[in-house]
Amino acid sequence: MITPAAIVAAASSAALVILGLALILTVWRVVAGPTLPDRILALDMLTGIAIGFIAVIAVKTGFSLYIDIAISLGLVGFLATVAFARFVLSRGNIKSPASASPPQAGVKRRHAGGKKR
């Protein structure tokens, strides 16, 4: 008969394999991500995978202090994601030199005072 400890050992080993595969795919997305938001999302996913690793190791070893570490990592990961999101939003408001091109012919521009020239 299969014991509960054997089931937990097999399930935790399978979870570590699945998390390892997810880690490899997510690291690939961080490296090859075409845009900055893709990379930020992949870094957030890496935090979630790390939390999963810590939780599985806590179950395998029976050392419950790892759960506290996983919770702390979740809080720090959330704050990092919010900081990256604020960075992306603030970066979108800055005009690049390419977009500050001279006006087209025939287009009238207003100055700060609102008077026409």
Side-chain angles (χ1 to χ4, degrees):
M1 183 163 195
I2 300 175
T3 63
I7 293 172
V8 169
S12 60
S13 297
L16 287 175
V17 169
I18 292 169
L19 284 169
L21 179 65
L23 180 80
I24 291 169
L25 292 172
T26 306
V27 167
W28 176 77
R29 177 50 63 190
V30 170
V31 172
T35 63
L36 183 62
D38 288 334
R39 290 187 170 110
I40 292 171
L41 188 62
L43 286 173
D44 189 38
M45 186 69 184
L46 280 177
T47 304
I49 292 170
I51 291 169
F53 270 119
I54 293 171
V56 171
I57 295 298
V59 169
K60 274 186 93 113
T61 62
F63 195 56
S64 62
L65 184 63
Y66 288 143
I67 301 299
D68 295 335
I69 295 169
I71 292 170
S72 300
L73 181 61
L75 292 172
V76 170
F78 170 73
L79 292 175
T81 303
V82 169
F84 278 133
R86 289 184 57 101
F87 170 73
V88 169
L89 284 176
S90 69
R91 188 175 174 205
N93 292 337
I94 299 172
K95 292 182 180 179
S96 64
S99 65
S101 60
Q104 297 174 356
V107 177
K108 294 181 181 178
R109 294 189 57 153
R110 291 183 175 242
H111 291 283
K115 297 178 184 177
K116 290 185 181 179
R117 243 180 146 181

